[in-house]
Amino acid sequence: MDRQQISRLAHAHHPIAAPLADESVARLLDRALAGRESGRMLDLGCGEGSWLLRALAARPGWRAVGVDVDAAALTRAWESATTLGLVRRIGLHHQDVREFTAVGPFDLVLCVGATHAFDGLLPTLAAARELLAPGGLLLVGEGFWEREPSPAALDGLGAAREDFADLATTTDRVLADGWTPVYGHVSTVREWDDYEFSWTGSLAEWALDHPDHPDAAAAREAADRHRAEWLHGYRGTLGFVTYLLRRD
Ligand SMILES: C[S@@+](CC[C@H](N)C(=O)[O-])C[C@H]1O[C@@H](n2cnc3c(N)ncnc32)[C@H](O)[C@@H]1O
């Protein structure tokens, strides 16, 4: 069972592939798009397009572009856009974000939970800088250490200590790179727990519902392993911050 199929099943009840509740997503989008009747937004690593679709649904003057390497996720994004009547305002590109060359600048660039595609936060900021219109905003979601990671936390995440820093240091790096956080959201323990129980629960439930499927055992194993890595490893250690940034 490949990672994209696991991710699709795991996100069945939590379409945003990051530890953010619907209210948090709505608040961040409201702040990002406040006061702008129209514009263009770009989501780098858009997955199923959940951020873009939510943003477009309530804002008829906006258009959107999404880029992702997961063809099946983009197909679902397109199906959702069709259902919501948004296909005329969204373009979806099956492409590596590092190779994406856009036409024209964007008023809002998003990259939530996908900074690894650029090898980290600072290269993501550098890429976004090239894509933003003057006065444009960047919404970027990134991990950080809530506390010093234990070996079990690092094992569970398949991460190295230096992959992340604490929130203050992460924010200092953003500032030093010439950005100002004009808003932000730190995911709560409740959002994390909801996300992880939804991820593991949806996948395990699918395995229980499809006992004769050739992938059932692999799905169950993936759900059980992920749950153990979270509960015995990184719960309370890995944090997630979503910054709304402006260039200085
Ligand atoms: C954790 S998901 C986040 C999806 C979405 N931003 C959201 O918040 O719901 C990360 C996404 O990044 C995509 N991705 C990873 N590496 C990529 C790359 N090099 N180019 C394009 N997309 C990539 C994955 O396919 C996946 O859809």
Side-chain angles (χ1 to χ4, degrees):
M1 199 174 205
D2 65 36
R3 284 182 57 180
Q4 292 176 342
Q5 194 184 352
I6 287 174
S7 177
R8 177 175 65 79
L9 296 172
H11 288 107
H13 299 291
H14 197 298
I16 297 287
L20 287 131
D22 288 342
E23 312 83 77
S24 304
V25 172
R27 197 170 55 252
L28 285 159
L29 287 173
D30 281 347
R31 291 293 287 254
L33 302 168
R36 297 177 191 227
E37 288 286 303
S38 62
R40 296 178 74 220
M41 66 183 91
L42 167 68
D43 192 346
L44 300 164
C46 65
E48 300 186 11
S50 304
W51 287 87
L52 296 181
L53 295 169
R54 288 176 196 209
L56 290 182
R59 298 166 185 89
W62 280 79
R63 306 179 77 85
V65 173
V67 186
D68 205 286
V69 286
D70 184 343
L74 292 174
T75 298
R76 278 188 301 286
W78 189 254
E79 288 166 357
S80 302
T82 304
T83 304
L84 295 167
L86 298 172
V87 277
R88 289 164 63 89
R89 294 195 283 129
I90 192 167
L92 297 168
H93 297 257
H94 181 219
Q95 201 173 4
D96 191 310
V97 289
R98 291 165 299 185
E99 289 157 16
F100 178 69
T101 45
V103 179
F106 291 87
D107 305 291
L108 174 66
V109 173
L110 303 96
C111 185
V112 181
T115 56
H116 56 284
F118 293 99
D119 286 331
L121 179 59
L122 290 179
T124 302
L125 300 183
R129 190 177 299 128
E130 302 300 315
L131 295 161
L132 273 181
L137 292 167
L138 170 62
L139 191 72
V140 61
E142 171 70 335
F144 70 91
W145 296 130
E146 289 270 16
R147 60 166 105 125
E148 196 58 29
S150 65
L154 294 175
D155 276 357
L157 293 165
R161 164 75 182 79
E162 55 277 14
D163 287 350
F164 303 110
D166 63 31
L167 182 60
T169 306
T170 305
T171 307
D172 286 347
R173 290 176 184 166
V174 169
L175 288 160
D177 199 51
W179 299 84
T180 299
V182 293
Y183 189 54
H185 174 77
V186 175
S187 295
T188 63
V189 172
R190 186 176 175 161
E191 285 176 302
W192 267 109
D193 288 352
D194 182 61
Y195 180 60
E196 297 289 7
F197 267 126
S198 187
W199 199 107
T200 54
S202 300
L203 191 55
E205 189 172 45
W206 181 87
L208 289 171
D209 286 344
H210 300 83
D212 299 326
H213 193 286
D215 289 331
R220 181 61 199 236
E221 194 275 330
D224 289 345
R225 180 163 29 86
H226 188 115
R227 190 186 313 102
E229 288 167 345
W230 162 50
L231 291 174
H232 292 286
Y234 62 85
R235 181 172 186 264
T237 296
L238 183 67
F240 194 83
V241 57
T242 308
Y243 297 109
L244 183 61
L245 301 176
R246 245 170 77 175
R247 292 288 296 154
D248 292 347

